[in-house]
Amino acid sequence: MPEIFFRYIEKKSIFHSINPSIKLIAVLIMFVAVTLVMDPITSSVFLLLIILSTKFLSNLKYREIITPLILSISTATFIAIFNILFYKTNFVPELPAIFNIGRLKITDAALKIGLSRGIRVFSLINLSIIFVSTTDVTALVDSLVQNMKMPYRIAYGTLVAYRMIPLLSDEFSQIQASQKIRGVLPKKNIRSKIEFFFKQAITLMVGAIRRSDRLALAMDSKAFGASKKRSFYRPKRVEFKDVIFLISTILVILITYYIMWKIGFLKKLGILA
Amino acid sequence: MSQISVNNLTWQYDGRSRPAISNISFDVERGEFILILGSSGSGKSTLALCLNGLIPQEMSGKFSGKVKIEGLPTDTFPLSQLTQKVGVIFQDPESQIAMLKVEDDVAFGLENRLILLDEMKIRVKESLKSVGLLENKDDITSNLSGGMKQKLSLASMLAPMPDILVFDEPTSNLDPKSTQDLFNMIHKLKQSEKYTLLTVEHKLDYLMDMVDRVLLLNPDGTLLADSNPRNILKKHFLRIKEYGIWVPTVFWIGIKLKDRLKEKDISIEPPLTIDEAANKFKLLLKDIKDDEINIGKKVNVKEKKESQDKKFKQIEVKDLNFAYTNKKYVLKNISFAVNKGDFLAIVGPNGSGKTTLVKILTGLLKPSFGTISLYGKNILAIDPVEISKKMGFVFQNPEHQFLSDTVYNEIALSLRLANKSEDFIKKKVNDLLKQFELIELKEKNPFSLSQGQKRRLSVATMLLWDQDILIFDEPTFGQDFKNSQQMWNILKELNSMGKTIIVITHDMSFVSELTEKVVLLFEGEIKYFGNTFDLFQKRGLLLNSNLMEPLPTTLARKLKISFKDGVFPTTIDEFLYLIN
């Protein structure tokens, strides 16, 4: 289940207290900023900034986010190694090797690109971890509706659907068990397995559609969607500190860019390098 | 003006050939408690949805007649106000909770109605308090037990301050203790005199004392009778029996007693509530002077056949422990054995590990520690297909097991996979179809069957290999009286043919009337393993494990009658034997 990897961890911290919509915007800006950097040193600086802010602003303990961390480290390592080994410049005969692994030639460009991509992926996953672990989903939806003018029917409708995900995954394993116990197993070939999966998926859908019908009735009974407006049990405001937080994030990005450019590491920004 | 007035109400869902309910008229006065009775498919739930305007405003179909709530027509008046006046609590706890947190869910309906924050805070607190969930206000809703979820749904419905509450089989997914809790809550609502209550429910034993009036529906969705419960049961008992509708257990006992007393020329009016039963039966016993009555020895109503092979251990569970990935043990040190021909019940509150245990027994899950032997062989060493030939398992939701497009193919499926000849298959399948009264439905799609038919089909698909052991998860769940009785008889018959039957159930009358042995699970441990009769003598144990004693036992206790050795009857027949 996805919740084992990514989940909200209830605590008190600066990150926890920031308005969720503002936090989302800040994280998205940071996302773009990190993605645009191709130089591994600058990427490392951003990574360091992300790690430092997690340490000092989130109040999260490493062991609380250890599973997603391991996941992100292994993904990043894999991407780094893959690029270092197989980046296209390694296969251009004219380019010099900085070192060789067996018959593979490793070029300077491949090393840089590999490291940079690895570090960036690591940074991006970490950003997501911080956001998810410090943001209550309900609070995010509340804030998107109240502060960002998102239509409430869509926002809360999605939230209700989100609540159903673990139920569906439970039901799917029940269906699998029910059919396994009949002694009906798919044959070894892929086709039979796919057919089998579809049959189970259809059974799941039948149940899910009925459930969603019932849910819709229950929501109607609670007057959901009955009026254009809604009052709020958990009012969300964008406060002064949230604005400061957003501005600081942007400033940190610009200052880092500037310094790294001045020292000569950051030469240009790019999208897909 | 009546608070609810229903006039010639007819509703036909789009795509259906006949109306779900037709030509229904009745009035309800403020403060009344109305029980709606009818067999499954008679339109009880549909009627409930007509009261808060969801029908016809949110569903597509043909509507005629008039429903008025406090004078307001439900087909045109704004839904937000109608649903505020009429709160509905549905059957399935999972599909009526909208929010992730308890207090948010209560607030949800208030937010939609633009109630201001200060007022909301008060109402959320009040509502949660009145259902006893205030301490859980910050809990995640998906972590709540079924019973707590239903209480939460009730709280969410109380918060908009309705005048009318409709309960649509609110206890059918709950264990006995949670059912009792919810009934107690309904009692309180009734006593507060603030609400008009309408209930669709088939567990009537602890409800009848509240009921002012019964609406009895015909299977075709017309209204057969509208009167007080005594009249209804007296005048329409034969119909009720024919339609397969549940009646209060004490009424059932009364009917049986009436038959027996006829010979002695004593007449007795069957009682409706437990208290009434106690009083009436006491009068019958008044000639006997002793305060405590101890008669004879316990009769062996369930004639035991102690044959040789009865001692043969089919399943043996030793020191079983099980944890899912999160390290918390769901089952702890479980040891018991099942002998050939046993009729065993596995009972315990929701979440006590019953289904997990059965999944391990059938090899669907692997134990963390301990062993399960099937015919003396470790189950982990047996091929899954071989296990399914020795042991059949009917899950709670029959639909989950369906894989084919017709009833016939559904049963034939496993046989075809085993490469049996079509002739053989034809004979076998037709036999089963006949046995389970499905022969006329054999070309139908399994998903299109009624609840009872689906159940029977799922049982039939499990009997192909003449397995010696059959396991059922809640076989009578959500079924009307007729279908339940039918299932009881099927299980009894299978058992008398020498098959070992293991049943997970919340239905204590099922346990007391049919089974011989019980495994009682509580928080993952076995609290009791032994004879069914003896279990129901242990009142403290039952109480501590959130179980209810069977009604005949309760009644005997009230009457202070018992067998000579001080044990109480647990089945209806034992009770009748005593009172005779």
Side-chain angles (χ1 to χ4, degrees):
Chain A
M1 264 204 268
E3 283 169 31
I4 297 169
F5 299 114
F6 284 100
R7 66 188 171 87
Y8 171 56
I9 298 162
E10 198 169 341
K11 285 207 158 168
K12 284 204 161 56
S13 79
I14 294 184
F15 274 163
H16 282 80
S17 72
I18 299 296
N19 177 299
S21 302
I22 298 295
K23 201 181 348 177
L24 182 63
I25 295 172
V27 164
L28 288 177
I29 293 176
M30 198 63 172
F31 246 84
V32 175
V34 169
T35 316
L36 291 179
V37 172
M38 289 178 293
D39 160 50
I41 306 289
T42 314
S43 296
S44 309
V45 172
F46 273 109
L47 177 60
L48 188 67
L49 285 171
I50 292 168
I51 292 173
L52 286 177
S53 63
T54 315
K55 184 138 182 66
F56 294 108
L57 301 179
S58 78
N59 199 12
L60 293 172
K61 304 233 160 36
Y62 282 114
R63 63 177 163 76
E64 291 170 325
I65 48 172
I66 191 75
T67 332
L69 267 185
I70 290 172
L71 186 81
S72 77
I73 289 175
S74 37
T75 317
T77 314
F78 173 79
I79 287 174
I81 291 176
F82 187 83
N83 276 288
I84 292 173
L85 294 182
F86 302 113
Y87 191 63
K88 60 187 177 196
T89 54
N90 290 357
F91 304 100
V92 180
E94 299 84 49
L95 289 175
I98 43 172
F99 59 89
N100 288 297
I101 299 172
R103 266 193 261 160
L104 259 180
K105 176 178 79 175
I106 307 295
T107 55
D108 179 51
L111 187 64
K112 275 189 183 154
I113 290 288
L115 284 177
S116 159
R117 284 184 179 171
I119 292 167
R120 274 184 288 168
V121 166
F122 189 49
S123 309
L124 295 182
I125 301 180
N126 274 10
L127 269 177
S128 323
I129 296 173
I130 301 172
F131 181 74
V132 174
S133 343
T134 63
T135 314
D136 181 16
V137 187
T138 312
L140 175 64
V141 173
D142 282 340
S143 159
L144 286 172
V145 171
Q146 294 176 47
N147 311 129
M148 299 294 135
K149 304 288 165 240
M150 186 172 179
Y152 85 86
R153 280 172 235 210
I154 295 172
Y156 290 101
T158 314
L159 189 63
V160 174
Y162 172 82
R163 205 187 83 72
M164 292 293 133
I165 296 173
L167 288 180
L168 282 182
S169 96
D170 277 0
E171 190 164 354
F172 195 65
S173 49
Q174 275 174 30
I175 291 172
Q176 286 182 316
S178 304
Q179 304 195 344
K180 192 174 165 195
I181 200 74
R182 288 186 64 182
V184 184
L185 295 169
K187 295 194 191 79
K188 288 272 159 8
N189 65 54
I190 301 275
R191 209 193 120 133
S192 159
K193 278 190 179 145
I194 292 176
E195 272 177 15
F196 215 70
F197 177 79
F198 268 101
K199 275 193 176 152
Q200 294 179 334
I202 288 172
T203 309
L204 182 70
M205 287 310 289
V206 171
I209 289 170
R210 272 201 208 118
R211 173 164 284 156
S212 67
D213 277 349
R214 290 200 297 267
L215 195 61
L217 286 176
M219 302 278 280
D220 284 333
S221 300
K222 295 179 186 211
F224 183 67
S227 58
K228 283 211 181 74
K229 280 192 185 161
R230 210 167 179 266
S231 62
F232 297 105
Y233 186 63
R234 297 180 192 274
K236 296 276 179 257
R237 282 179 208 92
V238 177
E239 291 167 24
F240 185 62
K241 68 168 190 326
D242 301 315
V243 180
I244 295 292
F245 177 80
L246 186 59
I247 294 174
S248 318
T249 309
I250 296 168
L251 279 180
V252 165
I253 292 168
L254 293 178
I255 292 170
T256 313
Y257 275 174
Y258 181 74
I259 294 176
M260 296 316 282
W261 174 69
K262 264 288 179 196
I263 336 179
F265 286 114
L266 185 68
K267 294 194 178 74
K268 61 171 183 181
L269 297 173
I271 295 173
L272 279 175
Chain B
M1 184 181 65
S2 303
Q3 192 181 25
I4 304 174
S5 92
V6 177
N7 234 317
N8 279 326
L9 170 66
T10 299
W11 169 258
Q12 182 169 354
Y13 289 101
D14 271 354
R16 296 291 167 86
S17 55
R18 67 166 187 86
I21 47 178
S22 72
N23 241 332
I24 290 189
S25 301
F26 63 92
D27 288 333
V28 180
E29 302 303 325
R30 198 172 281 274
E32 274 193 293
F33 190 109
I34 311 277
L35 174 69
I36 303 172
L37 288 181
S39 53
S40 50
S42 61
K44 303 186 296 284
S45 302
T46 306
L47 185 57
L49 292 176
C50 288
L51 296 176
N52 68 352
L54 287 182
I55 291 177
Q57 297 199 34
E58 285 295 321
M59 307 199 69
S60 44
K62 258 191 286 182
F63 180 85
S64 67
K66 208 79 198 162
V67 179
K68 282 185 179 170
I69 304 294
E70 289 168 8
L72 311 168
T74 56
D75 49 340
T76 51
F77 205 71
L79 259 189
S80 63
Q81 291 174 51
L82 284 170
T83 52
Q84 183 273 316
K85 288 190 183 303
V86 186
V88 186
I89 290 88
F90 297 96
Q91 181 174 11
D92 178 14
E94 294 300 347
S95 38
Q96 46 187 329
I97 293 171
M99 290 287 112
L100 301 168
K101 268 193 189 161
V102 168
E103 61 177 328
D104 290 3
D105 191 66
V106 181
F108 187 75
L110 302 175
E111 294 174 307
N112 292 330
R113 296 186 173 93
L114 302 165
I115 310 283
L116 295 176
L117 183 59
D118 292 338
E119 171 77 18
M120 255 198 284
K121 280 184 178 159
I122 299 168
R123 289 212 209 165
V124 168
K125 206 177 152 193
E126 285 296 309
S127 312
L128 284 174
K129 207 168 134 192
S130 66
V131 300
L133 282 181
L134 195 55
E135 278 173 24
N136 305 80
K137 70 181 171 70
D138 294 318
D139 287 6
I140 305 294
T141 49
S142 52
N143 294 344
L144 299 180
S145 71
M148 284 162 102
K149 280 181 183 151
Q150 285 303 63
K151 285 184 195 170
L152 172 59
S153 294
L154 178 56
S156 302
M157 280 301 148
L158 289 176
M161 305 208 285
D163 303 318
I164 301 162
L165 285 170
V166 182
F167 293 89
D168 185 3
E169 305 214 31
T171 67
S172 61
N173 291 37
L174 306 185
D175 58 33
K177 176 68 175 17
S178 314
T179 301
Q180 198 59 35
D181 282 354
L182 197 69
F183 281 159
N184 289 343
M185 218 150 271
I186 298 178
H187 261 275
K188 266 196 224 153
L189 294 173
K190 159 97 176 160
Q191 274 158 12
S192 75
E193 295 182 356
K194 278 194 257 177
Y195 307 98
T196 304
L197 299 151
L198 291 95
T199 306
V200 180
E201 180 60 74
H202 70 250
K203 298 174 189 164
L204 302 176
D205 291 339
Y206 295 90
L207 205 67
M208 281 322 275
D209 54 337
M210 288 186 274
V211 178
D212 297 312
R213 254 167 66 205
V214 176
L215 298 177
L216 179 59
L217 296 174
N218 284 316
D220 66 354
T222 52
L223 186 63
L224 172 65
D226 168 6
S227 182
N228 66 54
R230 199 168 303 274
N231 264 336
I232 294 272
L233 281 169
K234 205 168 155 184
K235 279 193 195 145
H236 303 284
F237 180 67
L238 286 177
R239 282 291 181 81
I240 287 175
K241 225 171 115 186
E242 180 198 329
Y243 294 165
I245 298 169
W246 293 93
V247 296
T249 312
V250 286
F251 188 82
W252 197 241
I253 295 176
I255 292 275
K256 289 197 169 188
L257 196 58
K258 198 175 167 183
D259 288 348
R260 296 197 181 188
L261 292 178
K262 247 182 207 155
E263 302 152 18
K264 297 183 187 167
D265 248 6
I266 307 172
S267 90
I268 176 175
E269 190 71 15
L272 295 183
T273 69
I274 300 170
D275 287 339
E276 190 195 343
N279 291 334
K280 277 206 168 135
F281 297 159
K282 201 157 233 162
L283 290 179
L284 289 176
L285 299 165
K286 67 171 185 265
D287 320 335
I288 308 163
K289 280 183 193 112
D290 292 328
D291 211 12
E292 299 262 335
I293 300 161
N294 302 310
I295 309 164
K297 251 183 66 190
K298 178 189 169 284
V299 269
N300 238 343
V301 181
K302 277 178 264 171
E303 203 67 41
K304 292 274 174 65
K305 33 185 187 188
E306 280 298 336
S307 59
Q308 267 306 85
D309 59 30
K310 185 95 202 198
K311 289 185 194 95
F312 176 72
K313 272 184 196 160
Q314 272 175 325
I315 304 176
E316 191 168 19
V317 180
K318 264 193 197 148
D319 302 321
L320 169 74
N321 284 275
F322 180 80
Y324 287 100
T325 43
N326 53 8
K327 288 180 206 156
K328 224 185 114 196
Y329 277 89
V330 193
L331 292 172
K332 285 164 267 183
N333 303 319
I334 306 282
S335 297
F336 67 94
V338 184
N339 297 335
K340 187 166 177 9
D342 271 356
F343 202 139
L344 173 86
I346 300 178
V347 300
N350 282 338
S352 56
K354 302 187 297 291
T355 303
T356 308
L357 173 60
V358 172
K359 280 190 176 167
I360 298 173
L361 289 186
T362 47
L364 284 168
L365 292 172
K366 289 189 174 66
S368 310
F369 300 106
T371 53
I372 316 261
S373 331
L374 182 62
Y375 293 98
K377 204 172 163 193
N378 189 329
I379 199 158
L380 295 178
I382 311 175
D383 181 67
V385 178
E386 280 312 305
I387 296 178
S388 73
K389 285 182 186 171
K390 294 203 165 69
M391 203 155 40
F393 184 6
V394 181
F395 277 81
Q396 198 180 103
N397 185 341
E399 284 185 0
H400 286 169
Q401 286 177 310
F402 296 158
L403 282 158
S404 311
D405 47 359
T406 67
V407 169
Y408 182 92
N409 288 337
E410 195 61 59
I411 300 182
L413 179 74
S414 308
L415 292 173
R416 285 194 181 129
L417 286 173
N419 292 323
K420 301 280 178 194
S421 76
E422 270 309 310
D423 285 343
F424 174 84
I425 293 175
K426 200 170 177 186
K427 188 178 171 320
K428 184 91 191 163
V429 173
N430 279 325
D431 284 350
L432 279 167
L433 286 172
K434 270 179 215 144
Q435 188 188 343
F436 286 88
E437 295 177 30
L438 293 166
I439 192 85
E440 275 147 38
L441 303 163
K442 68 179 189 181
E443 295 306 320
K444 284 217 166 186
N445 189 307
F447 281 95
S448 71
L449 303 181
S450 76
Q451 277 305 322
Q453 292 161 348
K454 277 181 195 155
R455 261 276 157 220
R456 295 208 293 278
L457 176 58
S458 72
V459 176
T461 56
M462 273 299 145
L463 299 179
L464 289 171
W465 306 111
D466 288 322
Q467 294 100 326
D468 290 330
I469 307 165
L470 294 164
I471 306 179
F472 298 84
D473 193 352
E474 292 285 354
T476 55
F477 170 80
Q479 310 230 5
D480 59 21
F481 185 70
K482 211 200 245 163
N483 283 321
S484 288
Q485 292 296 314
Q486 214 163 6
M487 195 52 67
W488 282 29
N489 290 335
I490 290 172
L491 296 187
K492 250 198 290 196
E493 201 184 305
L494 289 168
N495 185 240
S496 67
M497 283 158 58
K499 301 208 183 281
T500 307
I501 309 281
I502 301 174
V503 177
I504 298 180
T505 185
H506 284 320
D507 182 349
M508 288 304 129
S509 61
F510 178 95
V511 177
S512 62
E513 298 284 341
L514 287 188
T515 68
E516 297 155 2
K517 283 189 189 169
V518 178
V519 168
L520 164 56
L521 280 179
F522 189 72
E523 292 175 353
E525 289 176 68
I526 290 195
K527 288 274 162 182
Y528 178 88
F529 170 52
N531 186 305
T532 306
F533 185 82
D534 295 337
L535 169 69
F536 290 121
Q537 308 301 326
K538 298 180 197 299
R539 208 178 182 192
L541 177 66
L542 293 175
L543 223 60
N544 288 333
S545 1
N546 287 351
L547 291 179
M548 303 286 295
E549 62 185 9
L551 203 112
T553 318
T554 311
L555 213 49
R557 255 184 230 287
K558 284 202 175 219
L559 290 167
K560 296 185 180 153
I561 53 173
S562 60
F563 294 111
K564 220 167 216 158
D565 33 3
V567 294
F568 289 100
T570 63
T571 69
I572 294 181
D573 284 343
E574 285 166 2
F575 180 83
L576 289 174
Y577 172 84
L578 256 188
I579 206 156
N580 262 353

